[in-house]
Amino acid sequence: MTTKKRSAPSTRDFDREFRAQVAQMTSGLAPTAFSTAWADWAMHLALAPAKQRELQQDMLARAQDTWAFALRALAGEPVSPAEGLDGDADPRFRAEDWSKFPFNVYARAYQNAAALLKDGVRDVDGVTEYHDQLLEFALRMLLDASSPSNCLATNPELLALTQAEKGQNLVRGFKHLAEDMRRTLAGVAPVGADEFEVGKHVAVTPGKVVFRNELIELIQYAPTTKDVHAEPVLVVPAWIMKYYILDLSPRNSMIKYLVDQGHTVFAMSWKNPDEKDREIGMDDYVTKGLFAALDAVTTIVPVRKVHAVGYCIGGTLLSIGVAALARDGDRRLASMTMFAAQTDFSEPGELAFFINPSQLAMLEATMHRKGVLESKQMGGAFALLRAKDLVWQPIVDTYLKGQRAPMIDLMAWNADGTRMPWRMHSEYLYRLYLDNELATNRFPVGGRLVRLSDIRLPMLVVGTEADHVAPWKSVYKVDNLVRSDDLTFLLTAGGHNAGIICGPVHPKRHYRIKTRRLADPHLAPEEWMEAATRHDGSWWPAMQHWLAQHSSGRVKPPAMGATRKGYPVIEDAPGEYVRQR
């Protein structure tokens, strides 16, 4: 009996494993990216004596300001540090308690030191723009972490609260910390998330699972009107999130809203992949995901064309798929709508801090080791982009003030993360983010290249003003890439998630909207902002009106599924895949 010998690990395998080990020690951040940026800055600063002198003068001026401020504070003057030497008001130091000595001095010294460090990395001739941005990001993380507002001993508001409550806030905070650590180690959802159980409190719009393969489930939602718009709507969510962000609590469920307005809605629910799915790639997400869902919808609702709606990278996937359909002469779509979705990644926003060859090599090694990218790694990267609001302020509130923020449906959804297969995510990051293949006509589907310029469908493209994940100016670039003769761009207030999920009635929101024809001159983002019409309230009614305008009339609601054609009702919504953890 012969024993089959296992092949020896290659040099590449050894290097990949070493990078994965390093990633464990650095929380996934590539030290080479930051050290290279620092070396670029240090060498060019050494060649800029005028800049060095400017920084020396700036340091002296800020040191003098700090000392003068300290002397005034020591003399008993009620001086506030809220406005620093540059006149910039820092909201963390606005409370009256920060005007007391020595806390006002702490805050003033911090602000002067922060401003000096920021000045030091800016405008150094010769430093690449990317390295300049990377250093500013690293500096921002350092400054967010070192603010005196984060520490009990240097925060007068926390000390006053502790004195008033006789330390009970710290007792509650310690209990919160212990509970959060226990839940994290056990892999349990955060406190309060169980109040938003899938299928019971969220994702409750009535419907049926009418198709399932190894990658998706397709949900068809039950009509609530006696007649419906003839063309159904197919929702393509991002696979980095559970689909029910578009079906949260009934009051802010976009799917329920569309159904109640007379649309036949189908939604894809992605499988939460595990190690066995490591080899699933982008082609699979197009063919077994989007195309399989489209086949099902056009079989269940025959003859009619389909309105396709994509969110985040689901919108990117939709644009890839629509370009492939156009390439192949497939005319089954009536329109396409994209929410906060990029197609040109030349300016991807602050996520670019994590998208460089060094960082991707480390991330790829981590994913290859496990077969998937864990959701907590993606969530950690997003949190770092807004560390002051998403990391440090919650730490202060929860563990020092002892005040736990109440859970809401969007927060509970955010904690219900998904994994991503190694092959797909590697291809997505390298080919789209790093090499920008889609915008430069180098991205293949089924072994053949696709071109966004083949897309001529009516389009509704939605961006959000405060988006850190898909900046609206980057989303707007699709206008230069497609040849739609009916392209409406809508810019709404809010961020990547809260700007999209705002409910049909939201008096504090506003949006701008403008339609262009192919013959119209292209407007730069700033010009578009001036030319677009501003409206108050939620943008959902405008989206629904656009979909209705691009439909052909009202008809009788279709049957649920099509058993005789291979699409029987499998089970009630929200199905099985959305519950996978």
Side-chain angles (χ1 to χ4, degrees):
M1 179 177 174
T2 59
T3 303
K4 185 177 180 179
K5 293 184 179 180
R6 183 178 299 177
S7 58
S10 66
T11 302
R12 183 179 181 184
D13 291 334
F14 180 84
D15 290 346
R16 180 183 273 156
E17 178 62 23
F18 182 77
R19 286 195 298 271
Q21 294 281 0
V22 173
Q24 284 190 319
M25 296 184 289
T26 64
S27 298
L29 293 176
T32 49
F34 292 96
S35 60
T36 301
W38 181 86
D40 187 11
W41 167 81
M43 287 188 290
H44 283 94
L45 182 61
L47 298 174
K51 176 68 175 178
Q52 294 177 37
R53 180 174 177 79
E54 178 185 318
L55 290 175
Q56 290 170 355
Q57 293 173 340
D58 188 18
M59 180 174 62
L60 180 60
R62 294 189 183 282
Q64 290 175 337
D65 176 78
T66 300
W67 278 109
F69 185 92
L71 290 174
R72 290 165 55 201
L74 191 59
E77 294 184 37
V79 286
S80 171
E83 291 192 7
L85 182 62
D86 302 315
D88 298 326
D90 191 324
R92 290 173 291 186
F93 308 128
R94 283 178 183 165
E96 184 65 26
D97 287 341
W98 284 101
S99 296
K100 300 175 182 177
F101 181 84
F103 307 105
N104 49 4
V105 178
Y106 297 157
R108 186 70 162 208
Y110 167 79
Q111 290 179 101
N112 275 327
L116 177 63
L117 290 171
K118 291 176 182 177
D119 290 342
V121 299
R122 289 178 185 150
D123 301 323
V124 179
D125 291 340
V127 178
T128 66
E129 182 180 3
Y130 179 71
H131 284 163
D132 186 55
Q133 294 172 348
L134 196 61
L135 283 175
E136 287 198 35
F137 170 64
L139 186 58
R140 191 176 76 203
M141 287 196 296
L142 174 65
L143 294 175
D144 286 342
S146 60
S147 171
S149 61
N150 297 337
C151 182
L152 176 64
T154 55
N155 186 327
E157 295 177 86
L158 293 177
L159 289 173
L161 177 66
T162 302
Q163 184 178 21
E165 294 197 18
K166 295 182 170 60
Q168 288 304 304
N169 56 312
L170 299 180
V171 173
R172 293 194 306 272
F174 182 78
K175 291 180 179 178
H176 291 162
L177 177 62
E179 174 67 8
D180 290 347
M181 290 180 65
R182 183 189 68 80
R183 285 175 172 265
T184 300
L185 293 174
V188 179
V191 174
D194 51 358
E195 297 175 11
F196 297 94
E197 183 181 344
V198 172
K200 186 175 180 180
H201 306 102
V202 292
V204 295
T205 303
K208 303 290 184 181
V209 176
V210 295
F211 173 70
R212 176 186 293 145
N213 64 16
E214 62 269 38
L215 195 55
I216 66 164
E217 290 178 333
L218 183 68
I219 301 170
Q220 180 182 357
Y221 290 92
T224 59
T225 54
K226 65 179 181 179
D227 56 17
V228 295
H229 294 284
E231 287 74 22
V233 176
L234 172 60
V235 176
V236 186
W239 54 84
I240 64 170
M241 56 177 74
K242 298 286 181 74
Y243 87 91
Y244 69 90
I245 187 174
L246 296 171
D247 188 25
L248 293 173
S249 304
R251 64 181 175 79
N252 61 354
S253 165
M254 181 180 288
I255 288 174
K256 181 180 185 303
Y257 172 71
L258 290 175
V259 170
D260 289 345
Q261 298 302 309
H263 294 277
T264 299
V265 179
F266 293 80
M268 296 165 55
S269 176
W270 298 101
K271 177 186 179 183
N272 194 358
D274 54 32
E275 294 181 8
K276 297 188 297 292
D277 303 308
R278 62 184 302 126
E279 294 294 338
I280 295 178
M282 283 293 296
D283 255 13
D284 297 306
Y285 273 74
V286 175
T287 57
K288 297 178 182 179
L290 174 60
F291 290 173
L294 182 60
D295 289 342
V297 173
T298 53
T299 300
I300 296 170
V301 188
V303 183
R304 305 296 181 182
K305 291 190 174 183
V306 178
H307 295 301
V309 177
Y311 184 12
C312 186
I313 58 176
T316 305
L317 179 75
L318 177 61
S319 67
I320 294 170
V322 173
L325 294 174
R327 177 198 66 190
D328 298 337
D330 192 315
R331 302 287 183 261
R332 287 181 291 172
L333 293 184
S335 73
M336 62 181 293
T337 298
M338 299 165 61
F339 301 154
Q342 298 178 93
T343 50
D344 183 335
F345 292 84
S346 57
E347 295 177 319
E350 293 186 343
L351 276 181
F353 301 141
F354 304 103
I355 310 296
N356 55 66
S358 179
Q359 185 66 58
L360 292 190
M362 185 164 286
L363 181 60
E364 190 274 339
T366 302
M367 290 191 297
H368 186 271
R369 188 185 199 188
K370 295 183 176 181
V372 292
L373 177 68
E374 297 289 344
S375 62
K376 61 184 179 181
Q377 291 178 266
M378 180 67 71
F382 289 149
L384 285 177
L385 296 179
R386 297 173 55 201
K388 181 168 67 175
D389 298 323
L390 299 182
V391 177
W392 298 109
Q393 192 58 51
I395 286 176
V396 170
D397 291 342
T398 307
Y399 306 134
L400 296 180
K401 291 184 179 180
Q403 301 168 357
R404 190 183 288 283
M407 183 67 71
I408 61 174
D409 53 6
L410 189 59
M411 291 169 59
W413 163 84
N414 191 55
D416 188 12
T418 59
R419 295 174 292 273
M420 284 175 281
W422 161 70
R423 182 174 297 280
M424 180 281 299
H425 201 51
S426 295
E427 290 175 347
Y428 184 84
L429 292 176
Y430 278 101
R431 296 173 63 180
L432 293 179
Y433 267 99
L434 195 62
D435 296 335
N436 204 21
E437 290 184 6
L438 182 59
T440 53
N441 304 319
R442 294 180 293 125
F443 192 91
V445 173
R448 298 166 55 210
L449 298 180
V450 297
R451 297 173 64 92
L452 292 176
S453 58
D454 290 336
I455 298 177
R456 303 188 182 188
L457 294 172
M459 294 180 65
L460 173 63
V461 182
V462 180
T464 62
E465 292 178 354
D467 200 328
H468 292 266
V469 179
W472 79 266
K473 292 181 181 179
S474 180
V475 171
Y476 181 72
K477 287 174 180 286
V478 72
D479 181 64
N480 268 334
L481 300 174
V482 299
R483 286 193 288 177
S484 170
D485 191 41
D486 179 3
L487 191 148
T488 298
F489 190 79
L490 187 152
L491 179 64
T492 181
H496 187 72
N497 292 329
I500 300 298
I501 310 304
C502 62
V505 178
H506 202 308
K508 295 183 179 180
R509 293 291 189 199
H510 64 265
Y511 65 92
R512 292 176 172 85
I513 188 170
K514 182 175 175 57
T515 299
R516 71 111 179 101
R517 300 296 176 183
L518 196 56
D520 294 339
H522 176 74
L523 298 177
E526 295 76 12
E527 296 171 326
W528 182 93
M529 180 75 82
E530 293 181 3
T533 305
R534 189 184 189 279
H535 303 269
D536 292 327
S538 170
W539 61 275
W540 285 16
M543 169 195 62
Q544 193 284 132
H545 180 67
W546 188 91
L547 287 172
Q549 278 187 320
H550 290 81
S551 298
S552 59
R554 310 278 291 206
V555 297
K556 181 181 177 181
M560 299 295 287
T563 301
R564 293 183 179 179
K565 297 180 180 180
Y567 295 100
V569 170
I570 299 173
E571 62 177 292
D572 290 337
E576 173 187 322
Y577 284 175
V578 74
R579 292 186 169 96
Q580 293 175 333
R581 294 186 179 275

PDB file of all heavy atoms in Angstrom, residues 557-575:
ATOM      1  N   PRO A 557     -51.752  41.540 -10.086  1.00  0.00           N
ATOM      2  CA  PRO A 557     -50.524  41.009  -9.473  1.00  0.00           C
ATOM      3  C   PRO A 557     -50.215  39.602  -9.971  1.00  0.00           C
ATOM      4  O   PRO A 557     -51.129  38.792 -10.178  1.00  0.00           O
ATOM      5  CB  PRO A 557     -50.841  40.996  -7.975  1.00  0.00           C
ATOM      6  CG  PRO A 557     -51.923  42.004  -7.799  1.00  0.00           C
ATOM      7  CD  PRO A 557     -52.738  41.939  -9.063  1.00  0.00           C
ATOM      8  N   PRO A 558     -48.944  39.286 -10.175  1.00  0.00           N
ATOM      9  CA  PRO A 558     -48.576  37.941 -10.624  1.00  0.00           C
ATOM     10  C   PRO A 558     -48.735  36.926  -9.493  1.00  0.00           C
ATOM     11  O   PRO A 558     -48.803  37.286  -8.313  1.00  0.00           O
ATOM     12  CB  PRO A 558     -47.112  38.094 -11.022  1.00  0.00           C
ATOM     13  CG  PRO A 558     -46.611  39.196 -10.140  1.00  0.00           C
ATOM     14  CD  PRO A 558     -47.761  40.147  -9.995  1.00  0.00           C
ATOM     15  N   ALA A 559     -48.760  35.653  -9.849  1.00  0.00           N
ATOM     16  CA  ALA A 559     -48.809  34.591  -8.845  1.00  0.00           C
ATOM     17  C   ALA A 559     -47.482  34.523  -8.097  1.00  0.00           C
ATOM     18  O   ALA A 559     -46.444  34.989  -8.582  1.00  0.00           O
ATOM     19  CB  ALA A 559     -49.111  33.258  -9.526  1.00  0.00           C
ATOM     20  N   MET A 560     -47.524  33.932  -6.914  1.00  0.00           N
ATOM     21  CA  MET A 560     -46.303  33.765  -6.132  1.00  0.00           C
ATOM     22  C   MET A 560     -45.564  32.540  -6.650  1.00  0.00           C
ATOM     23  O   MET A 560     -46.029  31.401  -6.515  1.00  0.00           O
ATOM     24  CB  MET A 560     -46.633  33.599  -4.654  1.00  0.00           C
ATOM     25  CG  MET A 560     -47.358  34.794  -4.046  1.00  0.00           C
ATOM     26  SD  MET A 560     -46.346  36.297  -4.018  1.00  0.00           S
ATOM     27  CE  MET A 560     -45.196  35.895  -2.711  1.00  0.00           C
ATOM     28  N   GLY A 561     -44.399  32.748  -7.257  1.00  0.00           N
ATOM     29  CA  GLY A 561     -43.628  31.651  -7.810  1.00  0.00           C
ATOM     30  C   GLY A 561     -44.243  31.132  -9.101  1.00  0.00           C
ATOM     31  O   GLY A 561     -45.258  31.641  -9.593  1.00  0.00           O
ATOM     32  N   ALA A 562     -43.608  30.112  -9.652  1.00  0.00           N
ATOM     33  CA  ALA A 562     -44.093  29.476 -10.883  1.00  0.00           C
ATOM     34  C   ALA A 562     -43.706  28.005 -10.800  1.00  0.00           C
ATOM     35  O   ALA A 562     -42.696  27.576 -11.364  1.00  0.00           O
ATOM     36  CB  ALA A 562     -43.499  30.146 -12.114  1.00  0.00           C
ATOM     37  N   THR A 563     -44.516  27.235 -10.110  1.00  0.00           N
ATOM     38  CA  THR A 563     -44.174  25.839  -9.819  1.00  0.00           C
ATOM     39  C   THR A 563     -43.919  25.028 -11.079  1.00  0.00           C
ATOM     40  O   THR A 563     -42.941  24.269 -11.161  1.00  0.00           O
ATOM     41  CB  THR A 563     -45.301  25.193  -8.994  1.00  0.00           C
ATOM     42  OG1 THR A 563     -45.473  25.933  -7.779  1.00  0.00           O
ATOM     43  CG2 THR A 563     -44.962  23.744  -8.662  1.00  0.00           C
ATOM     44  N   ARG A 564     -44.764  25.181 -12.074  1.00  0.00           N
ATOM     45  CA  ARG A 564     -44.639  24.383 -13.281  1.00  0.00           C
ATOM     46  C   ARG A 564     -43.406  24.763 -14.110  1.00  0.00           C
ATOM     47  O   ARG A 564     -42.996  24.000 -14.985  1.00  0.00           O
ATOM     48  CB  ARG A 564     -45.894  24.536 -14.143  1.00  0.00           C
ATOM     49  CG  ARG A 564     -47.145  23.934 -13.501  1.00  0.00           C
ATOM     50  CD  ARG A 564     -48.333  24.045 -14.423  1.00  0.00           C
ATOM     51  NE  ARG A 564     -49.532  23.441 -13.828  1.00  0.00           N
ATOM     52  CZ  ARG A 564     -50.728  23.428 -14.420  1.00  0.00           C
ATOM     53  NH1 ARG A 564     -50.870  23.962 -15.632  1.00  0.00           N
ATOM     54  NH2 ARG A 564     -51.755  22.869 -13.817  1.00  0.00           N
ATOM     55  N   LYS A 565     -42.843  25.921 -13.825  1.00  0.00           N
ATOM     56  CA  LYS A 565     -41.675  26.376 -14.590  1.00  0.00           C
ATOM     57  C   LYS A 565     -40.392  26.278 -13.772  1.00  0.00           C
ATOM     58  O   LYS A 565     -39.369  26.859 -14.142  1.00  0.00           O
ATOM     59  CB  LYS A 565     -41.899  27.811 -15.079  1.00  0.00           C
ATOM     60  CG  LYS A 565     -43.077  27.931 -16.042  1.00  0.00           C
ATOM     61  CD  LYS A 565     -43.257  29.369 -16.511  1.00  0.00           C
ATOM     62  CE  LYS A 565     -44.443  29.489 -17.468  1.00  0.00           C
ATOM     63  NZ  LYS A 565     -44.644  30.889 -17.931  1.00  0.00           N
ATOM     64  N   GLY A 566     -40.447  25.573 -12.657  1.00  0.00           N
ATOM     65  CA  GLY A 566     -39.230  25.328 -11.888  1.00  0.00           C
ATOM     66  C   GLY A 566     -38.962  26.295 -10.762  1.00  0.00           C
ATOM     67  O   GLY A 566     -37.863  26.280 -10.185  1.00  0.00           O
ATOM     68  N   TYR A 567     -39.948  27.124 -10.417  1.00  0.00           N
ATOM     69  CA  TYR A 567     -39.752  28.092  -9.331  1.00  0.00           C
ATOM     70  C   TYR A 567     -40.894  27.988  -8.327  1.00  0.00           C
ATOM     71  O   TYR A 567     -41.718  28.891  -8.187  1.00  0.00           O
ATOM     72  CB  TYR A 567     -39.653  29.514  -9.896  1.00  0.00           C
ATOM     73  CG  TYR A 567     -38.435  29.703 -10.767  1.00  0.00           C
ATOM     74  CD1 TYR A 567     -38.545  29.657 -12.158  1.00  0.00           C
ATOM     75  CD2 TYR A 567     -37.180  29.894 -10.200  1.00  0.00           C
ATOM     76  CE1 TYR A 567     -37.416  29.806 -12.963  1.00  0.00           C
ATOM     77  CE2 TYR A 567     -36.050  30.038 -10.994  1.00  0.00           C
ATOM     78  CZ  TYR A 567     -36.189  29.999 -12.374  1.00  0.00           C
ATOM     79  OH  TYR A 567     -35.066  30.139 -13.161  1.00  0.00           O
ATOM     80  N   PRO A 568     -40.947  26.866  -7.594  1.00  0.00           N
ATOM     81  CA  PRO A 568     -42.008  26.687  -6.597  1.00  0.00           C
ATOM     82  C   PRO A 568     -41.739  27.532  -5.359  1.00  0.00           C
ATOM     83  O   PRO A 568     -40.609  27.953  -5.097  1.00  0.00           O
ATOM     84  CB  PRO A 568     -41.916  25.195  -6.272  1.00  0.00           C
ATOM     85  CG  PRO A 568     -40.454  24.889  -6.447  1.00  0.00           C
ATOM     86  CD  PRO A 568     -40.013  25.718  -7.626  1.00  0.00           C
ATOM     87  N   VAL A 569     -42.788  27.757  -4.588  1.00  0.00           N
ATOM     88  CA  VAL A 569     -42.623  28.403  -3.288  1.00  0.00           C
ATOM     89  C   VAL A 569     -41.905  27.432  -2.364  1.00  0.00           C
ATOM     90  O   VAL A 569     -42.353  26.294  -2.172  1.00  0.00           O
ATOM     91  CB  VAL A 569     -43.983  28.805  -2.707  1.00  0.00           C
ATOM     92  CG1 VAL A 569     -43.827  29.259  -1.256  1.00  0.00           C
ATOM     93  CG2 VAL A 569     -44.618  29.903  -3.553  1.00  0.00           C
ATOM     94  N   ILE A 570     -40.775  27.859  -1.815  1.00  0.00           N
ATOM     95  CA  ILE A 570     -39.968  26.981  -0.965  1.00  0.00           C
ATOM     96  C   ILE A 570     -40.327  27.147   0.508  1.00  0.00           C
ATOM     97  O   ILE A 570     -40.523  26.166   1.236  1.00  0.00           O
ATOM     98  CB  ILE A 570     -38.464  27.266  -1.183  1.00  0.00           C
ATOM     99  CG1 ILE A 570     -38.088  26.994  -2.650  1.00  0.00           C
ATOM    100  CG2 ILE A 570     -37.610  26.435  -0.237  1.00  0.00           C
ATOM    101  CD1 ILE A 570     -36.668  27.404  -3.008  1.00  0.00           C
ATOM    102  N   GLU A 571     -40.413  28.379   0.948  1.00  0.00           N
ATOM    103  CA  GLU A 571     -40.767  28.663   2.337  1.00  0.00           C
ATOM    104  C   GLU A 571     -41.113  30.137   2.454  1.00  0.00           C
ATOM    105  O   GLU A 571     -40.963  30.915   1.503  1.00  0.00           O
ATOM    106  CB  GLU A 571     -39.615  28.304   3.286  1.00  0.00           C
ATOM    107  CG  GLU A 571     -38.343  29.087   3.048  1.00  0.00           C
ATOM    108  CD  GLU A 571     -37.259  28.755   4.067  1.00  0.00           C
ATOM    109  OE1 GLU A 571     -37.463  29.106   5.251  1.00  0.00           O
ATOM    110  OE2 GLU A 571     -36.228  28.162   3.685  1.00  0.00           O
ATOM    111  N   ASP A 572     -41.562  30.523   3.642  1.00  0.00           N
ATOM    112  CA  ASP A 572     -41.889  31.924   3.879  1.00  0.00           C
ATOM    113  C   ASP A 572     -40.621  32.774   3.949  1.00  0.00           C
ATOM    114  O   ASP A 572     -39.548  32.298   4.351  1.00  0.00           O
ATOM    115  CB  ASP A 572     -42.659  32.080   5.193  1.00  0.00           C
ATOM    116  CG  ASP A 572     -44.066  31.516   5.114  1.00  0.00           C
ATOM    117  OD1 ASP A 572     -44.611  31.399   3.991  1.00  0.00           O
ATOM    118  OD2 ASP A 572     -44.634  31.183   6.183  1.00  0.00           O
ATOM    119  N   ALA A 573     -40.764  34.050   3.564  1.00  0.00           N
ATOM    120  CA  ALA A 573     -39.684  35.007   3.772  1.00  0.00           C
ATOM    121  C   ALA A 573     -39.478  35.177   5.282  1.00  0.00           C
ATOM    122  O   ALA A 573     -40.426  34.989   6.055  1.00  0.00           O
ATOM    123  CB  ALA A 573     -40.044  36.337   3.118  1.00  0.00           C
ATOM    124  N   PRO A 574     -38.281  35.488   5.744  1.00  0.00           N
ATOM    125  CA  PRO A 574     -37.109  35.914   4.963  1.00  0.00           C
ATOM    126  C   PRO A 574     -36.184  34.791   4.522  1.00  0.00           C
ATOM    127  O   PRO A 574     -35.110  35.062   4.002  1.00  0.00           O
ATOM    128  CB  PRO A 574     -36.393  36.836   5.937  1.00  0.00           C
ATOM    129  CG  PRO A 574     -36.663  36.232   7.277  1.00  0.00           C
ATOM    130  CD  PRO A 574     -38.065  35.707   7.198  1.00  0.00           C
ATOM    131  N   GLY A 575     -36.569  33.539   4.725  1.00  0.00           N
ATOM    132  CA  GLY A 575     -35.756  32.445   4.237  1.00  0.00           C
ATOM    133  C   GLY A 575     -34.684  31.979   5.200  1.00  0.00           C
ATOM    134  O   GLY A 575     -34.631  32.373   6.363  1.00  0.00           O
TER     135      GLY A 575
END
